[in-house]
Amino acid sequence: MDLNSAFKKPPPGHVSNLEHPPNEAGLAYATLSVCLVTVTVFTWFRFFVKLWIMQKLHLEDYLIPFAWIAAIIHLACGFMIVQFAPIVHTWDITWLTFGRYLLWYRISSIFYNISIVIIKVAMLIQVLRIFVPRGARSKTFFIIHGLLWANVIYYVIIVFLMIFNCKPIQRAWKPWIAGKCMQIGLIAMSTAIVNLVGDLSILFLTQKVIWNLMRVERRQRLKLSVVFLAGIIPCAFAIMCLYYNDHQMNSTDFTRDSMYMTIACYGEIASGMFVLFLPVVPKFFAHLKSSPSFTLLSNKRSQRGTVISSVQGDATPGERKKSLFHISYTQKESEEKLQINVVNTVSVRSEVADHFGNDIDIELGQPRGVQMV
């Protein structure tokens, strides 16, 4: 077998071009660069705001940097592929080039799954901390734990299968040697389906808790709902991944269609990081507003003739207005079956974004002295 010959015969009306194949290198490099920048900014902006401004890190904050590392390796593999096969037709590359493509594509897929599962676990831990009072064992608690551990177990199995799906292992990127392999397309399709189901589950769960289980004003519910609707963005990219997975399985142009699918997966990782990044943004701007330089600028503006009411109820000068998101959270008896003394609730802090410029600190009610019925 001549490994320098075209991997596949071109379809009727096409001719193999192994020297200068038509490609979409611009689209590939642009997508990779945008995802690299956005994933990095979203990850470390959140981490530094939590560490330096809020001065408190939670469990998900320790997980997110590991998701970033896996995402960077995933993107680095994409850059490696683009150097020799920047979205090209399968009949425009040689057997050796196709083998290199399969190797980097396999490594990229492994770290994509590692990054995705860590992002989903971080999301679920954040939702658990925000919407389930500490010590409560509600339906929401068990649903979140079920989703969390189901994702962990599933992705561990998938990563294992991606590494050891061929015998011998090197047949995965050397299809010209003797051996057997599992259908990697079926693995990718099942992963795309699980990703979509997981993203939709997180989206619907947060909306259900906000609208059915939180005893707060309708306007506050609407604000929270809008914030957590950002989870619809990963769902959109998951649908794109599923579409291109299906298209790839029935396609005769594997390299081109698999790269389109990979581009959609880049967006899924970036959008997942965006959902985790979003809650700390208002906290950052609130910190800027409270800084001495911003206060000095505001005082100068007020001295130039801005008329500000000096009486705000009983508020004293310089007192910060309390956010509308300082609320007490209690779940309905139909879910918790708890006797909750509202007077004796203690507030616990959470980070949820407030698109309307208020302080994002949400106080979620923590039942004190709760007794099971």
Side-chain angles (χ1 to χ4, degrees):
M1 176 184 293
D2 183 7
L3 298 181
N4 291 313
S5 62
F7 172 74
K8 187 178 182 178
K9 292 182 179 180
H14 293 79
V15 178
S16 293
N17 185 349
L18 302 179
E19 294 296 329
H20 302 287
N23 59 72
E24 297 182 55
L27 172 62
Y29 277 115
T31 305
L32 284 164
S33 300
V34 169
C35 288
L36 176 63
V37 171
T38 53
V39 166
T40 301
V41 170
F42 293 157
T43 299
W44 295 109
F45 186 97
R46 174 194 167 98
F47 188 83
F48 290 132
V49 169
K50 295 292 294 291
L51 182 63
W52 288 343
I53 297 178
M54 303 180 69
Q55 298 182 350
K56 178 183 288 188
L57 295 176
H58 297 94
L59 177 57
E60 65 268 25
D61 299 310
Y62 294 100
L63 294 176
I64 293 173
F66 291 100
W68 174 79
I69 293 173
I72 292 301
I73 297 175
H74 171 57
L75 292 169
C77 292
F79 278 109
M80 292 297 298
I81 291 174
V82 172
Q83 290 182 17
F84 60 87
I87 314 183
V88 296
H89 294 293
T90 307
W91 53 85
D92 287 334
I93 59 176
T94 65
W95 279 85
L96 281 176
T97 302
F98 185 69
R100 290 176 60 196
Y101 179 87
L102 289 179
L103 175 60
W104 287 110
Y105 182 76
R106 183 63 54 91
I107 297 173
S108 174
S109 299
I110 291 171
F111 282 96
Y112 159 77
N113 283 282
I114 293 173
S115 180
I116 280 293
V117 68
I118 297 175
I119 289 173
K120 290 185 184 298
V121 168
M123 285 182 181
L124 288 166
I125 291 175
Q126 180 172 264
V127 172
L128 181 69
R129 180 171 52 80
I130 291 173
F131 292 111
V132 179
R134 190 175 303 166
R137 294 295 182 268
S138 62
K139 290 180 182 178
T140 304
F141 173 88
F142 289 110
I143 290 174
I144 293 174
H145 271 275
L147 289 171
L148 192 154
W149 291 109
N151 275 277
V152 170
I153 294 171
Y154 174 81
Y155 281 99
V156 168
I157 295 173
I158 287 299
V159 170
F160 180 86
L161 290 177
M162 285 189 167
I163 297 174
F164 301 104
N165 74 308
C166 287
K167 186 178 181 179
I169 294 177
Q170 58 266 33
R171 178 173 164 75
W173 61 89
K174 293 181 178 180
W176 55 85
I177 67 175
K180 295 181 179 180
C181 290
M182 296 176 58
Q183 284 288 340
I184 194 67
L186 295 177
I187 296 175
M189 176 62 74
S190 67
T191 301
I193 294 173
V194 169
N195 277 344
L196 179 57
V197 171
D199 291 338
L200 290 174
S201 298
I202 295 173
L203 178 64
F204 290 146
L205 179 64
T206 53
Q207 295 301 313
K208 177 178 176 60
V209 173
I210 290 170
W211 289 103
N212 294 340
L213 301 176
M214 295 187 68
R215 295 180 177 177
V216 296
E217 295 179 359
R218 184 177 180 83
R219 185 175 66 173
Q220 294 171 339
R221 291 186 186 185
L222 181 60
K223 290 182 180 181
L224 287 172
S225 177
V226 170
V227 168
F228 282 95
L229 273 176
I232 202 171
I233 303 175
C235 294
F237 281 107
I239 292 173
M240 290 177 61
C241 287
L242 182 60
Y243 169 79
Y244 282 112
N245 257 296
D246 179 69
H247 189 66
Q248 170 192 303
M249 289 185 64
N250 302 291
S251 173
T252 58
D253 195 359
F254 175 80
T255 53
R256 188 180 183 87
D257 293 331
S258 62
M259 278 301 295
Y260 284 134
M261 182 200 67
T262 304
I263 287 174
C265 294
Y266 294 153
E268 188 177 7
I269 289 179
S271 61
M273 289 296 192
F274 173 74
V275 172
L276 291 168
F277 148 88
L278 188 61
V280 304
V281 176
K283 188 67 177 181
F284 172 75
F285 286 107
H287 175 75
L288 289 182
K289 288 182 179 181
S290 64
S291 64
S293 58
F294 187 90
T295 303
L296 180 61
L297 180 61
S298 298
N299 290 338
K300 287 182 178 180
R301 288 181 177 178
S302 63
Q303 291 173 2
R304 288 172 184 171
T306 303
V307 179
I308 303 176
S309 175
S310 61
V311 179
Q312 296 280 339
D314 294 332
T316 58
E319 181 181 5
R320 186 176 65 177
K321 184 179 179 181
K322 190 175 182 180
S323 169
L324 289 175
F325 278 147
H326 284 271
I327 59 178
S328 292
Y329 170 81
T330 55
Q331 292 187 305
K332 292 181 179 179
E333 293 180 359
S334 58
E335 174 173 2
E336 294 275 24
K337 294 184 179 179
L338 300 176
Q339 292 178 342
I340 299 178
N341 187 343
V342 179
V343 178
N344 291 328
T345 59
V346 56
S347 295
V348 294
R349 177 158 302 195
S350 171
E351 314 90 30
V352 179
D354 180 2
H355 288 331
F356 299 90
N358 293 326
D359 185 358
I360 65 167
D361 294 341
I362 298 183
E363 301 297 339
L364 305 181
Q366 169 73 15
R368 177 180 295 172
V370 175
Q371 297 178 353
M372 284 288 189
V373 176

